[in-house]
Amino acid sequence: MTAEERRNLHAFRDYVIKTLDPAYILSYMAPWFKDDEVQYIQAEKNNKGTMEAASLFLKCLLELQEEGWFRGFLDALGHAGYSGLYEAIESWNFQKMESLEEYRLLLKRLQPEFKTTVNPNDILPKISECLISQECEEIIQICSNKGLMAGAEKMVECLLRSDKENWPKTLKLALETEESKFSQLWIVDKGSIFQGRALKGWEGLKTCSTFFIVLLRSSMKFENYQLELALPAKEGKNTIICAPTGCGKTFVALLICEHHLKKFPQGQKGKIVFFAIQIPVYEQQNSVFSKYFERLGYKVAGISGATSENISVEQIVENNDIIVLTPQILVNCLRNGTIPSLSVFTLMIFDECHNTSKHHPYNMIMFNYLDQKLGGSSDPLPQVVGLTASVGIGDAKNTMEAMEYICKLCASLDTSVIATVKDNLEELEEIVYKPQKFFRKVESRTTDRFKCIISQLMRETESLAKNIFDELENVSQIQNRNFGTQKYEQWIVSVQKACMVFQLPNKDEESRICKALFLYTSHLRKYNDALIINEHARMKDALDYLKDFFTDVRAAGFDEIEQHLTYRFEEKLQELESISMDLSNENPKLKDLSFILQEEYHLNPESRTILFVKTRALVDALKKWIEENSELSFLKPGILTGRGKTNHNTGMTLPAQKCALDAFRTDGDKKILIATSVADEGIDIAQCNLVILYEYVGNVIRMIQTRGRGRARGSKCFLLTSNADVIKKEKLNIYKEKIMNDSILSLQMWNEAVFKEKVLQIQIQEKNIRDSQEKVELVPDKENKKLLCRKCKAFACYTADIRVVEECHYTVVGDAFTKCFVSKLHPKPKSFGHFEKRAKIFCARRNCGHDWGIHVKYKTFEIPVIKIESFVVEDIATGAQKLYAKWKDFPFEKIPFGSPEIPE
């Protein structure tokens, strides 16, 4: 085999992986493959699936050095019956196989219908020539052992891998001969598949292969409603496109971008930036744009906060036609001058543009744009396009107020056109299915002994906190707060903030009081969380949450206060265990939730569900409940939560989020996804026919977004709550949606020149307010200050010893600081830029252990990197203390790391 043939086989590996089941040819490859390699490939198929096994097979194949293996591989394909793949590899021409891709995509989409309407035993004899003989035997065996639906599933799996050019037409003839209803859906006329109505739900493209993108350009006709939405932007107008989730706004954006790039005369070029707020959405859109435009010869690149460390943003912008960004990247570049002006772009597209308000990164970008526009600059400004399912109406109570709110959004985005579907509504409604909405008022427990016991423990803990120091205002106002509520959580935060800047002449006493109050409020927070779990899930889950917490407490410092609080909890533990195991204490809300799930899956066993809940703790609790419920465990729940940290609980990492989404999209066994608000907006989730909002309600935008997750025909949306006010709020959101739609219609009737003038006046007014409120440039304070641990007030360092590393990281020089902290190996060490994260650092004071930051290797230096939110800043002269959330807000003299006084 020549080097070129080896390269070709590697280049066309995707065709091989998608077509070949290596189990059928391994026996023919015995002269070249070792026994352990054969077993490894077979195990890969059993554990991970056919494509993973094919990938491993190909990897082993390409590593072979023995003479004759390539001919042996071709012969093996021929013997096994892979005639199409044999022909394609021999000629290095995969055009015939690529032409099958559109039929594979259609069959994937129609698989649920296929397995419920097609009898595989009837059509197998007529399509056997399109399959491998061993596949036919397996289909017959599965039909016999597991039933016709399982056999039909296997048949679809085999057809999706078929390399026979005629399989789509052969299947069509077999279906027609058997007079199968499925034949009406199976369209094989060239170019008609995507132009018909067989494929619905344009959002599905986001997760499809490169081939689908190619077909999109060559054989797919955009829907008329999509052309209608794109029209104003194609005419060069700044536009907000407002259309329902699932209608394909991303493809409208592709259409606009392609038109925009092609309109420039020779010698000129367009440059587009597409903004996505969430990292999963950014990755999703970056993939779609790359696959679509790179085949057209355009260069596409993406940058997010997760990938920007080692990338020159300036070069990426300069060298590409389309740049997909998370918006903070551009905000930072405009601030530091890396990107001198928005004039480098010719088109900016804002995904989920309703977020353009206050200090959101979208608004920061548009402040820059509007300063340039209103400042009389002669530099050209980019066209602006916004995409959203709902512009919202804020706090508006009527149409006039709503119109004013929408005008302000238009002013923020410099748009005077709102594009909605009007002329092609019927077509849109055929494709985007609005789910039926149901409200279920459910009952709470009538008696709750668990809550009584935990509430008593909370009252005792509050009393201890008051006895420590009741002169602190927030502690003295402890009464009359309902346990197990968000308001109680807010009170805890206010006490802890007051603690951080609390001062006494006796610093040891100050430290003792602050540390004690931190401990008491931390325990109160956990009790509060447990009551919230108990309210909405099982007592068992709430108790497990507390037991895990007290296990962690024992494993840490475990000082006198913690010992006492743990002792009091453990005194009640046996009674709590008994109560939580008593079936009479079952949560009636869960009974209703279980009833809905069982009823819906009885009506439609193929249902796909998203269950929205408020908190991560509740996500975990409901997952355990479903898995341990014999009537619901078949749902095999997946979870999706945010990435940030809340109350010291780490959220899902980006890879974990992607894995959860991919599993829900591709694994038919995972029938339900339990999610927090991260699934509300933007992330493409497989079509669902059941959305359940479990004590979950927000504003009108959130309502439209969550409802939009139910995209399948006949989908339903349930709101379950024990609180009548929640139902009132959701009904108010429905009313607000009507106000929003009426307001948009009214604004669309305005003369465009009048609309533009209205937008301009708002922009001028807002800029005047902005300019008058602009912060005075902070003058660095050269006076030396102390940094104290926020938790125990132990001295950490002086500002004179702080140095800035690469503009945004802060370290402390000198040996004195090393005695103030202890370090533990980092649970997730990794490298980024010139930094190698090695350990976490904590306050060294006994029984404190407050998280101060990390220890890294930076180039040749071993240095700590501290975070300002872990410290209190104390003025040495006055003793006044202040808190800062970000380093940029702390106006001290910032000396770069590497200054002459630092030994190299």
Side-chain angles (χ1 to χ4, degrees):
M1 182 191 192
T2 66
E4 183 182 359
E5 285 172 325
R6 193 183 291 273
R7 282 197 301 272
N8 284 344
L9 187 55
H10 187 272
F12 290 106
R13 67 193 302 275
D14 283 350
Y15 292 100
V16 179
I17 289 169
K18 288 206 290 188
T19 304
L20 181 66
D21 185 334
Y24 301 151
I25 70 165
L26 281 173
S27 60
Y28 301 110
M29 296 296 293
W32 290 277
F33 278 27
K34 297 173 186 174
D35 287 346
D36 60 340
E37 286 178 321
V38 170
Q39 289 171 9
Y40 189 16
I41 292 166
Q42 287 172 334
E44 191 79 352
K45 178 180 176 179
N46 294 337
N47 296 330
K48 295 185 180 178
T50 305
M51 286 181 67
E52 286 78 4
S55 179
L56 178 61
F57 169 84
L58 199 58
K59 179 176 179 290
C60 296
L61 192 69
L62 289 167
E63 288 172 356
L64 290 174
Q65 298 300 324
E66 292 88 343
E67 194 69 32
W69 69 262
F70 180 64
R71 179 76 284 175
F73 172 51
L74 284 177
D75 290 345
L77 291 175
H79 288 309
Y82 285 106
S83 54
L85 190 56
Y86 178 101
E87 181 187 328
I89 294 174
E90 193 172 47
S91 62
W92 298 118
N93 183 345
F94 286 79
Q95 194 170 349
K96 287 180 182 177
M97 292 189 68
E98 185 163 335
S99 69
L100 295 172
E101 188 63 25
E102 58 181 310
Y103 299 106
R104 291 194 185 105
L105 290 164
L106 178 60
L107 186 55
K108 277 183 188 175
R109 187 65 64 90
L110 298 175
Q111 183 185 27
E113 188 68 18
F114 186 98
K115 71 179 188 180
T116 55
T117 57
V118 173
N119 184 329
N121 287 330
D122 291 343
I123 68 166
L124 184 59
K126 302 174 181 65
I127 65 166
S128 58
E129 65 186 51
C130 302
L131 304 175
I132 305 295
S133 58
Q134 285 170 267
E135 290 177 328
C136 295
E137 291 168 12
E138 286 177 16
I139 291 167
I140 292 167
Q141 190 174 1
I142 289 171
C143 286
S144 173
N145 295 341
K146 296 185 178 180
L148 295 179
M149 283 181 68
E153 274 188 336
K154 180 66 179 177
M155 181 174 280
V156 169
E157 179 192 322
C158 297
L159 286 170
L160 291 174
R161 281 201 306 273
S162 177
D163 61 348
K164 310 302 184 288
E165 184 185 8
N166 65 335
W167 77 257
K169 287 188 177 178
T170 304
L171 176 61
K172 178 71 172 176
L173 289 170
L175 293 166
E176 288 177 346
T177 302
E178 292 300 322
E179 298 181 354
S180 169
K181 292 179 182 177
F182 189 80
S183 66
Q184 297 169 16
L185 299 173
W186 189 244
I187 306 165
V188 295
D189 295 334
K190 186 67 179 171
S192 64
I193 290 178
F194 296 115
Q195 291 173 17
R197 287 289 180 269
L199 291 183
K200 303 294 183 186
W202 294 88
E203 294 290 316
L205 182 78
K206 293 178 184 173
T207 54
C208 288
S209 68
T210 303
F211 302 113
F212 197 3
I213 306 293
V214 176
L215 288 164
L216 173 71
R217 293 196 291 102
S218 60
S219 65
M220 190 179 85
K221 169 180 163 288
F222 280 96
E223 300 293 351
N224 290 322
Y225 75 80
Q226 292 175 316
L227 298 173
E228 181 184 350
L229 288 170
L231 185 60
K234 285 174 69 177
E235 291 172 350
K237 295 174 181 177
N238 287 2
T239 308
I240 290 176
I241 294 170
C242 183
T245 301
C247 73
K249 289 187 289 295
T250 298
F251 310 123
V252 175
L254 293 175
L255 190 63
I256 292 165
C257 290
E258 185 173 355
H259 179 271
H260 181 83
L261 291 170
K262 286 179 175 177
K263 77 176 184 182
F264 286 88
Q266 191 131 11
Q268 294 182 33
K269 284 183 76 176
K271 193 174 292 289
I272 299 168
V273 59
F274 184 101
F275 298 110
I277 300 165
Q278 296 183 33
I279 297 281
V281 180
Y282 151 80
E283 294 214 335
Q284 177 180 290
Q285 306 297 54
N286 187 29
S287 173
V288 171
F289 273 76
S290 296
K291 287 172 181 174
Y292 186 88
F293 282 104
E294 283 173 0
R295 292 299 182 101
L296 284 167
Y298 295 106
K299 292 181 180 176
V300 180
I303 317 170
S304 70
T307 63
S308 63
E309 292 286 349
N310 300 313
I311 292 175
S312 165
V313 179
E314 192 175 12
Q315 285 183 4
I316 292 286
V317 170
E318 188 176 333
N319 297 334
N320 290 277
D321 304 298
I322 301 174
I323 303 94
V324 183
L325 288 178
T326 47
Q328 190 62 45
I329 299 287
L330 186 57
V331 173
N332 296 344
C333 289
L334 291 167
R335 193 174 284 152
N336 63 30
T338 307
I339 305 294
S341 158
L342 292 173
S343 296
V344 300
F345 304 110
T346 56
L347 172 62
M348 298 195 300
I349 301 181
F350 294 83
D351 196 22
E352 309 297 351
C353 69
H354 53 265
N355 290 291
T356 313
S357 64
K358 298 179 182 176
H359 294 288
H360 190 278
Y362 278 1
N363 225 16
M364 305 310 287
I365 292 165
M366 287 308 298
F367 286 166
N368 189 294
Y369 174 104
L370 293 169
D371 286 347
Q372 193 173 328
K373 173 186 174 179
L374 301 173
S377 170
S378 59
D379 293 335
L381 284 165
Q383 182 185 355
V384 177
V385 173
L387 308 174
T388 184
S390 168
V391 292
I393 62 169
D395 296 324
K397 294 177 179 61
N398 54 53
T399 305
M400 289 302 294
E401 290 177 8
M403 286 170 68
E404 191 65 26
Y405 178 90
I406 296 167
C407 282
K408 283 186 178 179
L409 178 65
C410 291
S412 296
L413 286 160
D414 196 36
T415 57
S416 52
V417 176
I418 304 170
T420 58
V421 178
K422 294 196 286 186
D423 298 337
N424 298 282
L425 259 178
E426 212 171 290
E427 181 189 63
L428 174 67
E429 286 165 359
E430 281 182 35
I431 290 171
V432 180
Y433 312 118
K434 190 173 178 179
Q436 288 178 276
K437 191 82 178 254
F438 299 93
F439 299 99
R440 285 281 180 92
K441 172 75 167 62
V442 296
E443 297 304 316
S444 292
R445 295 182 183 93
T446 50
T447 59
D448 193 339
R449 181 66 186 145
F450 181 94
K451 184 175 182 178
C452 292
I453 295 171
I454 298 301
S455 297
Q456 181 56 38
L457 287 170
M458 291 178 79
R459 280 190 285 272
E460 289 176 15
T461 309
E462 285 182 341
S463 179
L464 291 167
K466 281 192 74 175
N467 290 341
I468 281 285
F469 194 77
D470 66 355
E471 291 177 34
L472 199 64
E473 183 182 358
N474 300 74
V475 178
S476 63
Q477 296 177 351
I478 210 163
Q479 308 95 327
N480 304 323
R481 281 183 175 77
N482 290 326
F483 298 140
T485 63
Q486 194 61 39
K487 283 189 176 179
Y488 194 84
E489 164 74 21
Q490 290 163 2
W491 170 77
I492 290 169
V493 171
S494 70
V495 171
Q496 292 187 343
K497 282 185 175 177
C499 249
M500 291 167 191
V501 292
F502 166 69
Q503 291 177 276
L504 284 175
N506 184 330
K507 292 302 172 186
D508 287 340
E509 182 67 3
E510 177 187 314
S511 175
R512 184 189 71 81
I513 290 169
C514 287
K515 181 166 164 288
L517 287 175
F518 258 104
L519 288 173
Y520 288 133
T521 51
S522 295
H523 280 69
L524 286 169
R525 169 181 277 136
K526 291 298 177 181
Y527 282 137
N528 193 62
D529 289 346
L531 288 180
I532 292 172
I533 296 170
N534 175 62
E535 171 67 21
H536 303 310
R538 298 178 298 181
M539 285 181 183
K540 173 184 179 296
D541 300 312
L543 183 57
D544 286 346
Y545 180 80
L546 287 175
K547 284 160 68 176
D548 288 345
F549 168 66
F550 280 102
T551 300
D552 292 341
V553 168
R554 277 186 172 279
F558 205 51
D559 72 359
E560 195 177 322
I561 291 174
E562 289 172 314
Q563 288 172 31
H564 174 71
L565 292 173
T566 303
Y567 171 73
R568 289 293 298 126
F569 171 72
E570 289 178 346
E571 272 190 326
K572 303 288 184 183
L573 185 55
Q574 189 173 348
E575 186 179 359
L576 289 168
E577 293 270 20
S578 174
I579 293 165
S580 69
M581 299 304 291
D582 186 343
L583 294 177
S584 67
N585 289 320
E586 186 181 353
N587 196 329
K589 288 186 189 181
L590 293 181
K591 286 183 181 177
D592 280 291
L593 178 56
S594 177
F595 176 77
I596 288 170
L597 288 169
Q598 288 183 64
E599 185 179 61
E600 293 303 318
Y601 279 90
H602 174 72
L603 293 171
N604 179 6
E606 300 304 316
S607 287
R608 308 281 285 166
T609 304
I610 299 184
L611 173 61
F612 282 102
V613 299
K614 284 183 195 171
T615 66
R616 291 176 192 153
L618 202 49
V619 167
D620 294 334
L622 289 177
K623 180 176 186 286
K624 283 170 66 179
W625 168 67
I626 290 174
E627 288 172 338
E628 294 172 14
N629 186 320
S630 60
E631 294 173 323
L632 298 176
S633 57
F634 74 93
L635 295 175
K636 292 185 168 47
I639 65 170
L640 182 66
T641 66
R643 296 173 64 228
K645 293 183 177 181
T646 307
N647 300 346
H648 310 294
N649 292 326
T650 306
M652 287 180 85
T653 61
L654 179 59
Q657 284 184 342
K658 287 174 68 178
C659 185
L661 283 167
D662 288 344
F664 189 59
R665 287 175 183 136
T666 59
D667 186 347
D669 287 339
K670 289 195 177 296
K671 298 180 183 295
I672 187 168
L673 186 69
I674 311 171
T676 57
S677 59
V678 69
D680 269 1
E681 196 171 281
I683 298 175
D684 177 52
I685 298 173
Q687 284 199 353
C688 294
N689 62 314
L690 183 59
V691 175
I692 300 176
L693 311 178
Y694 189 67
E695 296 286 2
Y696 184 95
V697 70
N699 58 22
V700 65
I701 293 174
R702 175 176 282 189
M703 181 194 75
I704 292 168
Q705 295 283 7
T706 51
R707 184 185 65 200
R709 299 295 131 205
R711 302 176 185 174
R713 186 184 290 275
S715 56
K716 299 175 184 177
C717 180
F718 287 89
L719 170 63
L720 262 76
T721 178
S722 58
N723 186 344
D725 289 340
V726 170
I727 292 176
K728 282 181 188 173
K729 187 172 182 183
E730 191 71 353
K731 287 183 175 178
L732 180 61
N733 283 337
I734 293 170
Y735 172 66
K736 284 186 171 183
E737 183 184 12
K738 182 182 182 305
I739 290 178
M740 181 189 79
N741 292 332
D742 291 345
S743 302
I744 290 172
L745 281 171
S746 297
L747 289 170
Q748 287 171 331
M749 294 171 68
W750 282 18
N751 177 281
E752 201 171 322
V754 172
F755 202 157
K756 278 186 176 178
E757 182 58 30
K758 170 75 173 175
V759 162
L760 179 60
Q761 291 308 313
I762 293 172
Q763 288 172 343
I764 293 168
Q765 184 183 352
E766 292 290 318
K767 178 164 169 54
N768 289 337
I769 295 169
R770 207 160 57 243
D771 290 345
S772 67
Q773 292 175 343
E774 223 166 52
K775 288 181 181 175
V776 179
E777 189 68 33
L778 292 172
V779 179
D781 186 346
K782 297 188 179 183
E783 292 296 319
N784 202 6
K785 295 190 168 43
K786 290 180 185 178
L787 260 64
L788 311 177
C789 174
R790 271 202 195 189
K791 183 174 178 182
C792 72
K793 297 293 186 75
F795 171 77
C797 66
Y798 292 104
T799 52
D801 296 325
I802 295 175
R803 298 292 183 270
V804 187
V805 187
E806 294 191 359
E807 298 186 351
C808 59
H809 305 288
Y810 292 78
T811 189
V812 184
V813 297
D815 292 336
F817 183 62
T818 60
K819 296 169 186 170
C820 298
F821 68 82
V822 293
S823 60
K824 294 179 185 175
L825 288 176
H826 202 287
K828 295 178 182 176
K830 70 171 185 175
S831 297
F832 54 98
H834 296 114
F835 297 86
E836 185 184 330
K837 192 193 312 184
R838 293 187 167 184
K840 289 181 72 68
I841 62 173
F842 305 89
C843 177
R845 177 172 277 188
R846 185 172 172 272
N847 297 327
C848 177
H850 192 48
D851 183 355
W852 283 4
I854 58 175
H855 209 278
V856 303
K857 182 177 182 182
Y858 172 66
K859 296 181 178 177
T860 59
F861 299 98
E862 296 278 351
I863 59 171
V865 174
I866 61 173
K867 46 189 183 183
I868 190 62
E869 62 265 33
S870 295
F871 301 95
V872 176
V873 177
E874 180 176 282
D875 189 294
I876 295 173
T878 65
Q881 294 182 350
K882 290 187 82 172
L883 302 175
Y884 294 97
K886 297 178 181 176
W887 283 108
K888 67 182 178 67
D889 299 328
F890 179 19
F892 71 105
E893 187 177 19
K894 293 166 184 173
I895 305 167
F897 184 74
S899 295
E901 72 271 15
I902 299 176
E904 293 295 334

